Amino acid sequence: MSETERARLESLASYNILDSAPEHEYDHIVQRAAALCECPISTVTLVDRHRQWFKASVGLDIRETERDIALCDHTIRGTGPLIIPDTLRDDRFAANPVVTDTNGIRFYAGTPLLSSENQVLGTLCVMDYRPRNLSDAQANYLALLADQVMMHLELRRQNLKLQNTIDEQERSQRLTGIAGRLARVGAWSVDVASGRVTMSPEILALHGLGNDTRLTLNECLSFYGQEDKAKIQALFAACVNEGIPYDEELQVLDTSGQAFWVRALGEPVFDDAGEVIRVDGAFQDISEQRHAAGALREEKVRFEAAARATADAIWDWNTSTDRLWWSEGMQTLFGYSADDLEHDSRSWTTRIHPDDKKRVLTDIERAIYSQQQKWEAEYRFMCKDGSVAYVSDRGYVIRDENGDALRMVGGMSDVTERRRFLTNLARQATLLDKSSDAIMVLDLERRITYWNQAAEAIYGWRQDQALGRRIDEVLGEDRTLLEAAARALLDNGQWAGRLSGRNANGERVISEARWSLVGDDHGQPEAVLAINTDITERLALEEQLQQSQRLEAVGQLTGGVAHDFNNLLTVILGNSELLEEQLEETPLLRDSARLIRGAAERAAELTRRLLAFARRQPLAPEIVDVNELINGLTPLLRPTLHEHLDFNIVPCASPWPAFIDPGQLESAILNLCINARDAVSGNGCIVLETANVTLDKNYAKRDSEVVPGDYIRVVVSDTGQGIPAASLKKVFEPFFTTKPKGKGTGLGLSMVYGFVKQSRGHIRIYSEPGEGTTVKLYLPRADRDYETPVPPASPVRFSNRAETILLVEDDGAVRDQAANQLRDLGYRVISAANGEAALAILREQEVDLLFTDVIMPGGPNGPELARLARQQFPGLPVLYTSGYTENAIVHQGRLDPGVHLLEKPYHRGDLARKVRDALDEVPR
């Protein structure tokens, strides 16, 4: 055994403390140490030769352990306090069973108990089952409490010495000497028999009394407050009468009435008979300790503030002294142990990435010297292994009453993985932005947390406008429907349905919605993934397609009826004309024949309108200046309009030329103006205007029949009564009319519709009840600079030689009627009922003209017959006739080049002119 250890053990033995009974004052100290340092374990440990013995403890149920596994043994071998943040990371304790046990000690902090001979008797220590550290304030509190342990030990040793002497004066002086060594601590003694009170100068000074002051017991008790006076009286009586010592914190008044806190201790002294003959005690002014406890609570608040900022590497920076403390998170996250780090701000500033250092230091300096309370920054931080971490650093500034910064507490989080995740998320968001569907993420309260670019395009709300808002607010959707969808999501995890809301401009948006519930790592509902497909245009196109198919079906039926009807009208019209000529001398019968002819002509006009709607009429398009056409039509238009109507023409300054049938266009404009006139009751206005427009691909998407390109737009608007929405969908159907009975045929708009569509144009109608109606015609722009002029109609000429015409017609009545008319015109006629019969005739003899119906059942039709005939007789003139061509010789609304067509029903003069034109076209 060394001399140093021998001297230490002798000093320990002088206190006669080992294996003594528990004492309240020591228990009180370890309880306060555990509370102030926030540790579950605290002990007053005395280290003997082969063991460590616990005079008092909190959190341990043993009294001693072997010295070779004692953590406190390392404290007494040192030169000061020993703090081990993590015992497992300290090589001295790596194999110690106290540390390696399942419930081993991971944190230790011990302050040596230093005797007056400068010998270390043991420690006051605190321990924890988890790694941690002490603040500077906590370390100071632990040292202060160690001094109190030594005060009691010294009192104990001096009492032992005092008990061995008889001289009371010597005992009093020694007590005063002991108290004098401790700041603001004094001793006192009360003789029970005489009631005499002996007080040290320190106690007198605490009360504001002079050293010569002598007080009675009652006078001493009068310094306590009313509540504490009764308490100390009871404690002192119990000590005298029952021998019970006391140790209490009480409030005392000095002579000026100023209150201060003291720790009052009293212990009974017994005679040989066991009677209490004296009570000895001490006073300690603990006002500063109580203030320190308040400061500790403030320290705790600071650490809670740091915890609010981050839960990772916590730091505490004294901005006045530049002392900087780091938690063990610095090693966990970035690899730096406490030994690796400087104790000032260099431990932080030297490890900030050079490219970020200036920005970060400027920001934190601004926070310190301004009145900011919080500071935060994201930057790169150099780890011990040389890698670079992205960190999020947040701090809380603590200021004095003048607003000056005292310290900052905060925490630094490693957000490298989060940044990598956000980078991947941004990359995924870029991919999602390429989707044409609106993709959204909602929280469980239906608030939008993600909003892709397609959602912006479909609903018109920017991402910054949509995020954080409820989806029913953004989509303008029925909340009841969305709540039903939310219930279905929670029940089934998925929901699909159709939503009908409005975009930011108030326009209706219909979408097919497919929503899925997204769970967190524990399977609990966390968010909703919503994918909405905009089907607004698709539904509109489907509706247009259905309407087009319906109109097409009506057109097919109309064309078939028109073919047979025109054959009948041809006979009626031809015979009525013949009767008119032959009944010239019989006026009554001649008028009847004229009535028959007029009815046939009106019927013929009706069939022409039906064929126009069905897009089956032959057109003769030309390059047309629409403005000139309207100017030429104006004299005809104005007389048809009421005097109380304003009629305004707004022409385009430089209209593009249109490629259109001018006669049909005139008829269409006239029809629209008459409809507008009939829609206006009383005063009103009709406007006819033209403009050059280009319909792009986006416009064409909304109408399957529109071809992108340049158009001349002709608009007819009125201020009439308008058309209800239900009727607006049917206005182009034949025989549908909104006019009163007898006021219209219902074919005007259908004829215009068919003509425009057959001309490869486009038509739109807009109307609301009470707001009037606007019809827009889009006519194709001409792609040629000139068109061969149409020769003027030739006068009716009769044949001056016996030319032979082969007449081919499947309808017997029409065939006989045409043959008679041709013979009257001076031609030789050979009739055939079908194509086969005509070919047989052609094999037998030569003819000058083939006059054939276009549509004939069985065998070759008109065009096929002409092709076969010209194989035998090249250059043979052909004249077609038909009431319905069915695209046999008319394609895209135009006659094939070089084709002569006589439309049924026809007048005798039309027949003569067409036959002569066809014959004269071929040189003789």
Side-chain angles (χ1 to χ4, degrees), residues 497-705:
R498 180 169 292 184
L499 298 177
S500 178
R502 295 193 178 276
N503 62 16
N505 297 323
E507 299 168 341
R508 178 67 63 185
V509 177
I510 303 173
S511 59
E512 291 286 358
R514 301 175 302 283
W515 293 9
S516 302
L517 194 64
V518 180
D520 58 16
D521 294 338
H522 305 290
Q524 296 300 312
E526 184 178 42
V528 176
L529 174 64
I531 303 176
N532 291 1
T533 302
D534 185 4
I535 61 172
T536 310
E537 291 185 2
R538 191 190 80 191
L539 293 179
L541 288 174
E542 288 176 355
E543 184 177 357
Q544 291 176 9
L545 179 61
Q546 292 172 0
Q547 184 179 16
S548 296
Q549 290 173 340
R550 184 171 64 252
L551 296 177
E552 184 69 22
V554 174
Q556 292 285 355
L557 175 62
T558 301
V561 171
H563 175 267
D564 295 337
F565 197 42
N566 277 333
N567 281 340
L568 297 174
L569 289 175
T570 301
V571 176
I572 296 172
L573 190 59
N575 281 288
S576 64
E577 286 184 324
L578 181 60
L579 285 173
E580 278 190 85
E581 292 179 2
Q582 294 177 351
L583 296 173
E584 187 68 30
E585 303 299 330
T586 310
L588 184 59
L589 294 176
R590 184 192 61 198
D591 291 342
S592 296
R594 186 177 292 114
L595 288 174
I596 294 172
R597 179 174 59 83
E601 289 175 344
R602 288 193 296 275
E605 176 63 24
L606 179 62
T607 58
R608 276 193 293 272
R609 289 181 176 237
L610 288 172
L611 287 173
F613 163 73
R615 311 183 208 179
R616 299 296 188 271
Q617 64 176 339
L619 299 177
E622 305 173 17
I623 292 180
V624 176
D625 185 321
V626 177
N627 283 357
E628 290 184 3
L629 183 143
I630 292 175
N631 289 334
L633 189 61
T634 302
L636 179 63
L637 278 173
R638 290 195 181 277
T640 63
L641 305 178
H642 303 308
E643 294 181 357
H644 55 266
L645 285 176
D646 290 332
F647 180 61
N648 298 316
I649 299 177
V650 184
C652 174
S654 300
W656 292 328
F659 192 61
I660 203 76
D661 187 320
Q664 294 293 341
L665 178 57
E666 287 179 349
S667 179
I669 294 174
L670 184 60
N671 260 305
L672 294 176
C673 288
I674 291 174
N675 282 346
R677 177 201 67 187
D678 295 341
V680 179
S681 59
N683 296 326
C685 179
I686 297 175
V687 178
L688 176 58
E689 54 185 314
T690 61
N692 297 329
V693 296
T694 299
L695 303 183
D696 58 16
K697 292 181 179 180
N698 291 330
Y699 185 93
K701 285 181 181 179
R702 300 195 291 268
D703 193 314
S704 59
E705 295 187 354

Side-chain angles (χ1 to χ4, degrees), residues 412-425:
M412 191 162 62
S413 303
D414 185 350
V415 296
T416 307
E417 288 299 322
R418 188 185 76 185
R419 284 182 63 93
R420 186 177 294 115
F421 170 77
L422 291 176
T423 301
N424 292 335
L425 185 62

Side-chain angles (χ1 to χ4, degrees), residues 14 224 228 496 553 684 827 863 903:
S14 68
Y224 291 91
D228 287 347
Y827 297 102
E903 295 182 64

Side-chain angles (χ1 to χ4, degrees), residues 87-222:
T87 56
L88 277 180
R89 295 180 180 272
D90 194 312
D91 294 339
R92 295 173 293 177
F93 309 106
N96 193 323
V98 174
V99 174
T100 59
D101 186 70
T102 304
N103 294 319
I105 301 300
R106 294 293 302 275
F107 165 74
Y108 172 85
T111 298
L113 299 177
L114 195 62
S115 72
S116 58
E117 296 88 6
N118 206 29
Q119 297 292 339
V120 182
L121 309 179
T123 69
L124 171 64
C125 69
V126 291
M127 293 174 281
D128 203 338
Y129 298 110
R130 62 181 179 86
R132 52 158 299 164
N133 213 325
L134 291 183
S135 67
D136 293 344
Q138 289 172 322
N140 290 335
Y141 302 147
L142 193 64
L144 180 61
L145 292 174
D147 288 344
Q148 292 186 24
V149 172
M150 282 310 304
M151 179 193 76
H152 289 293
L153 289 174
E154 291 295 341
L155 286 173
R156 179 186 184 87
R157 187 166 67 170
Q158 292 302 324
N159 280 334
L160 289 174
K161 293 179 180 180
L162 288 173
Q163 288 176 7
N164 293 326
T165 182
I166 301 174
D167 190 349
E168 182 177 343
Q169 182 65 35
E170 183 181 353
R171 181 173 66 247
S172 177
Q173 290 176 350
R174 288 178 179 176
L175 286 173
T176 302
I178 294 172
R181 287 172 40 208
L182 301 173
R184 304 186 67 79
V185 175
W188 54 265
S189 179
V190 178
D191 184 83
V192 174
S194 65
R196 186 175 58 185
V197 178
T198 302
M199 303 176 70
S200 70
E202 288 79 10
I203 291 182
L204 293 171
L206 287 176
H207 289 79
L209 301 172
N211 291 339
D212 298 333
T213 305
R214 297 288 181 267
L215 298 175
T216 65
L217 182 60
N218 287 334
E219 288 174 335
C220 291
L221 294 177
S222 67

